[in-house]
Amino acid sequence: MLPSFNMEVNNNAMFSKIITLFCLIAYRECASNYTFPSDFLFGTGTSSYQVEGAWNESGKGENIWDFITHNTPEFVDDRTNGDIACDSYHKYEEDLALAKDLGVNFYRFSVSWARIYPNGYPYNPNQEGIAYYNNLIDAILAQNMTPMLTIYHWDLPQRLQELGGWTNPLIVQLYTEYARTLLENFSDRIKYWVTFNEPYMACNAGYGEVGYAPALGMSGIADYLCAHNLLKSHAAVYHLFNDTYRTRNNATMGITLNSIWIDPGSPEEEEAAERTRQFQVGLYANPIFSANGDYPEVMKEYIGNRSVAQGYSKSRLPQFTSDEIEFIKGTFDFLGMNHYTTRLARNSPPTNNMVSFNSDMQTEMWVNSSWPGGREPIVPSGFRKLLTWIKNTYNNPIVYITENGYGDNGELDDYVRVSYYGSYLEALLEAINEDNVNVRGYSAWSLMDNFEWKSGYTWRYGIYSVNFTDPNRPRTAKLSATFYKNVIANRAVGDYPSLS
Ligand SMILES: *[C@@H]1O[C@H](CO)[C@@H](O)[C@H](O)[C@H]1NC(C)=O
Ligand SMILES: *[C@@H]1O[C@H](CO)[C@@H](O)[C@H](O)[C@H]1NC(C)=O
Ligand SMILES: *[C@@H]1O[C@H](CO)[C@@H](O)[C@H](O)[C@H]1NC(C)=O
Ligand SMILES: *[C@@H]1O[C@H](CO)[C@@H](O)[C@H](O)[C@H]1NC(C)=O
Ligand SMILES: *[C@@H]1O[C@H](CO)[C@@H](O)[C@H](O)[C@H]1NC(C)=O
Ligand SMILES: *[C@@H]1O[C@H](CO)[C@@H](O)[C@H](O)[C@H]1NC(C)=O
Ligand SMILES: *[C@@H]1O[C@H](CO)[C@@H](O)[C@H](O)[C@H]1NC(C)=O
Ligand SMILES: *[C@@H]1O[C@H](CO)[C@@H](O)[C@H](O)[C@H]1NC(C)=O
């Protein structure tokens, strides 16, 4: 592990000296000579519920995270919520100044649906909500940054949840009308549109498991219904964009999927590892990015067979019609990818007749105990393998890394996070230069510490720290902010502390 330093590290010069010191005493990784292409874009980002606060201001309605944190406080590890969070609803100009200071090219944020349509139903949009995002977008542009807008980052209006949320097929129309309002009001200035952030977490963790709102816990049923309607919603909005709004600002649109890399637990487990990748990523990627569209064959086979054996008259995985397959296929300009860590997988046939996503998948995952990093192991080689797998499986799409980062308890001298960023950015450079993956941009998650869902404020991803006990929520740069700033300025990774 790292030697500990009790020095104040508050400027670039001191930072470089410390890294050089690491180099001299060999606690370092040597930088390669690779550099990022001149048109490569760097960014950072946040999401509405995690940073905005102002949960009931200016006409905003209640969303599923307001509801679950207010009604079931024990749902969150430290019984907190996003009522105030980073107070970015009021402090967005300060946030953007911090992003600007890093030198990033783009800023990624999401729109809170319940600010635009307080109960979700698409009539009479809340003009104060639209005005807030108009101001935010204008402020991003005024800092010479490019806005990347995520339409949905998990904060569904609560009233729509009461109608079944993403399991109700009507959601396709409701989401499309919400998105149309955003396209009407913002498409003159937005360059990058992301329809959804991490559908796997919204559907599998929120409807299958109980890890995220609405915490439905109907694994093997509701997760698939959610995925089905979400994919149709994505495609409907992509077509709307492509047919009517694209040219307003020569913009592009994609979807952001999350993926851990799945390595086989032993060479014989490659098939199990690939099946796991298909269940985790292929579920959402195959219908949109593959040549044939539709769900992965292996999912249709495994879920179909098991459903029959369980006495269902048809598969628990809904079927697309051939028209729907065509409607969804190819609805992307880029693949947004969020990546954090790696797992191992092996076959694990279910021993009973239980209905669940995991027993459909028939594998289990674990971590290699020799990987460093703790709760989220640091395995940069997994990042590179994932990028190569995306390239080979989906015909080399344009990729933006929309999130990558490391969680900890929040220390300012965050050497482990610096090491994480150094090693992952180095893996990215190798993937670009040696594997020719088509990655065009990278966004560090996150600009600042924020409400980390079920972990509340106990788990921090920020490269800026936020003091949540101070009513002013002051932000302070961590060491990783300085490191990232140098990477962007030099367009190269440079030396960074080693974990071994
Ligand atoms: C980087 O380039 C220098 C000078 O050409 C060379 O000496 C060094 O070995 C290179 N380093 C790596 C990691 O390739
Ligand atoms: C908003 O919520 C706060 C609690 O977070 C409460 O004190 C306040 O009265 C509410 N404001 C309105 C306008 O409902
Ligand atoms: C949003 O767009 C609609 C339709 O173009 C327009 O009527 C409305 O004034 C816009 N709202 C704001 C706050 O600009
Ligand atoms: C539109 O953007 C693409 C890159 O996404 C660029 O190649 C093209 O030149 C742009 N077209 C116009 C008319 O600006
Ligand atoms: C676990 O990590 C060690 C050290 O990197 C490596 O030698 C071993 O092959 C890994 N095991 C698996 C199953 O990947
Ligand atoms: C699914 O059922 C078909 C038809 O009975 C069979 O050929 C196939 O091997 C089964 N697949 C699995 C994974 O059990
Ligand atoms: C997007 O629009 C272009 C131009 O009209 C069209 O050629 C293309 O097929 C459309 N893309 C999709 C996925 O429908
Ligand atoms: C956070 O703010 C509180 C209240 O102003 C203050 O007492 C505390 O020292 C601050 N914490 C840090 C780490 O600066």
Side-chain angles (χ1 to χ4, degrees):
M1 288 306 293
L2 294 167
S4 60
F5 284 86
N6 291 320
M7 276 180 227
E8 271 296 305
V9 180
N10 52 16
N11 61 47
N12 291 358
M14 180 64 86
F15 181 76
S16 308
K17 275 188 200 136
I18 286 187
I19 294 298
T20 308
L21 183 60
F22 274 122
C23 292
L24 291 174
I25 58 180
Y27 289 104
R28 55 134 187 190
E29 293 293 335
C30 278
S32 72
N33 286 338
Y34 291 131
T35 55
F36 290 96
S38 58
D39 55 355
F40 189 87
L41 302 175
F42 287 99
T44 187
T46 57
S47 89
S48 48
Y49 187 73
Q50 291 179 279
V51 303
E52 283 178 2
W55 82 275
N56 58 0
E57 275 181 50
S58 312
K60 175 179 164 292
E62 186 184 41
N63 65 42
I64 56 176
W65 278 92
D66 295 318
F67 183 85
I68 204 164
T69 57
H70 291 160
N71 292 286
T72 325
E74 64 275 16
F75 182 75
V76 178
D77 291 350
D78 56 3
R79 302 178 71 97
T80 57
N81 56 50
D83 285 4
I84 303 173
C86 305
D87 199 22
S88 292
Y89 187 75
H90 301 110
K91 295 171 79 75
Y92 64 90
E93 288 185 306
E94 187 179 334
D95 298 344
L96 297 177
L98 299 177
K100 176 68 182 175
D101 188 58
L102 295 169
V104 295
N105 309 100
F106 69 97
Y107 183 74
R108 174 173 177 251
F109 68 97
S110 75
V111 174
S112 163
W113 189 335
R115 268 193 209 293
I116 307 297
Y117 289 114
N119 62 16
Y121 222 78
Y123 67 90
N124 194 16
N126 174 27
Q127 297 301 323
E128 282 183 273
I130 294 173
Y132 169 68
Y133 293 107
N134 270 332
N135 292 339
L136 178 66
I137 292 164
D138 289 344
I140 295 169
L141 292 168
Q143 297 276 21
N144 270 319
M145 296 185 292
T146 304
M148 178 183 276
L149 186 155
T150 304
I151 298 173
Y152 185 77
H153 198 127
W154 307 349
D155 43 2
L156 189 73
Q158 174 61 21
R159 297 301 277 171
L160 295 188
Q161 193 61 54
E162 288 158 16
L163 293 174
W166 294 103
T167 66
N168 182 341
L170 274 176
I171 198 78
V172 179
Q173 264 179 299
L174 299 172
Y175 173 80
T176 304
E177 290 312 308
Y178 158 57
R180 188 196 304 276
T181 302
L182 306 192
L183 287 161
E184 266 302 312
N185 282 275
F186 309 137
S187 61
D188 57 332
R189 286 157 293 155
I190 297 297
K191 206 78 184 166
Y192 303 99
W193 291 88
V194 175
T195 52
F196 286 94
N197 179 70
E198 301 190 3
Y200 183 87
M201 300 311 283
C203 293
N204 296 61
Y207 288 75
E209 310 290 335
V210 294
Y212 283 74
L216 226 54
M218 291 178 69
S219 187
I221 296 175
D223 35 16
Y224 299 138
L225 296 176
C226 174
H228 202 66
N229 293 320
L230 189 150
L231 283 160
K232 289 188 196 177
S233 302
H234 160 82
V237 167
Y238 182 87
H239 285 291
L240 176 63
F241 165 78
N242 194 43
D243 295 345
T244 307
Y245 295 95
R246 175 195 293 285
T247 52
R248 286 198 182 177
N249 195 32
N250 190 29
T252 57
M253 179 177 271
I255 185 170
T256 281
L257 307 181
N258 58 305
S259 177
I260 48 182
W261 172 246
I262 313 287
D263 245 353
S266 69
E268 302 75 58
E269 301 283 10
E270 174 50 32
E271 192 187 324
E274 178 61 18
R275 186 164 71 249
T276 309
R277 291 168 207 143
Q278 293 298 338
F279 268 73
Q280 309 245 327
V281 186
L283 169 60
Y284 299 99
N286 211 75
I288 300 171
F289 295 93
S290 73
N292 294 327
D294 201 3
Y295 293 120
E297 288 302 324
V298 69
M299 290 193 75
K300 292 196 285 186
E301 179 184 344
Y302 273 66
I303 303 168
N305 283 15
R306 202 167 155 78
S307 299
V308 169
Q310 287 164 334
Y312 288 85
S313 60
K314 56 184 181 184
S315 179
R316 285 177 279 102
L317 181 68
Q319 262 189 325
F320 289 123
T321 64
S322 51
D323 283 351
E324 287 169 344
I325 291 171
E326 290 307 313
F327 186 72
I328 297 170
K329 199 172 73 179
T331 52
F332 70 93
D333 301 311
F334 62 84
L335 169 57
M337 207 176 68
N338 293 353
H339 175 75
Y340 290 90
T341 189
T342 288
R343 291 281 184 277
L344 299 169
R346 64 180 161 225
N347 274 302
S348 175
T351 54
N352 59 31
N353 215 21
M354 182 182 177
V355 171
S356 78
F357 182 86
N358 284 343
S359 54
D360 287 338
M361 182 167 68
Q362 304 202 18
T363 64
E364 63 184 359
M365 285 178 275
W366 77 104
V367 303
N368 185 337
S369 56
S370 68
W371 289 336
R375 178 167 153 177
E376 275 176 2
I378 301 179
V379 192
S381 60
F383 187 25
R384 184 172 170 186
K385 288 182 202 171
L386 173 64
L387 291 168
T388 308
W389 182 83
I390 298 274
K391 175 188 170 186
N392 295 336
T393 310
Y394 302 115
N395 192 28
N396 200 20
I398 291 176
V399 173
Y400 290 96
I401 307 303
T402 37
E403 289 181 22
N404 177 240
Y406 184 76
D408 67 11
N409 296 319
E411 40 272 319
L412 288 178
D413 291 350
D414 55 343
Y415 291 102
V416 179
R417 181 176 291 106
V418 170
S419 188
Y420 179 96
Y421 275 121
S423 60
Y424 275 69
L425 285 163
E426 199 57 59
L428 174 57
L429 276 176
E430 288 165 9
I432 292 171
N433 287 283
E434 294 176 27
D435 310 332
N436 298 312
V437 299
N438 203 355
V439 180
R440 304 287 181 88
Y442 174 96
S443 183
W445 183 270
S446 173
L447 172 67
M448 61 192 157
D449 294 341
N450 56 50
F451 179 76
E452 183 50 37
W453 311 109
K454 212 170 178 348
S455 303
Y457 300 100
T458 66
W459 202 238
R460 311 275 181 102
Y461 285 90
I463 58 178
Y464 284 89
S465 163
V466 177
N467 184 342
F468 292 99
T469 54
D470 187 317
N472 290 322
R473 303 293 195 275
R475 285 87 156 119
T476 310
K478 300 180 189 177
L479 213 52
S480 52
T482 310
F483 179 78
Y484 191 44
K485 182 174 175 165
N486 286 337
V487 169
I488 296 171
N490 300 329
R491 307 196 75 77
V493 174
D495 292 329
Y496 55 91
S498 164
L499 287 174
S500 49

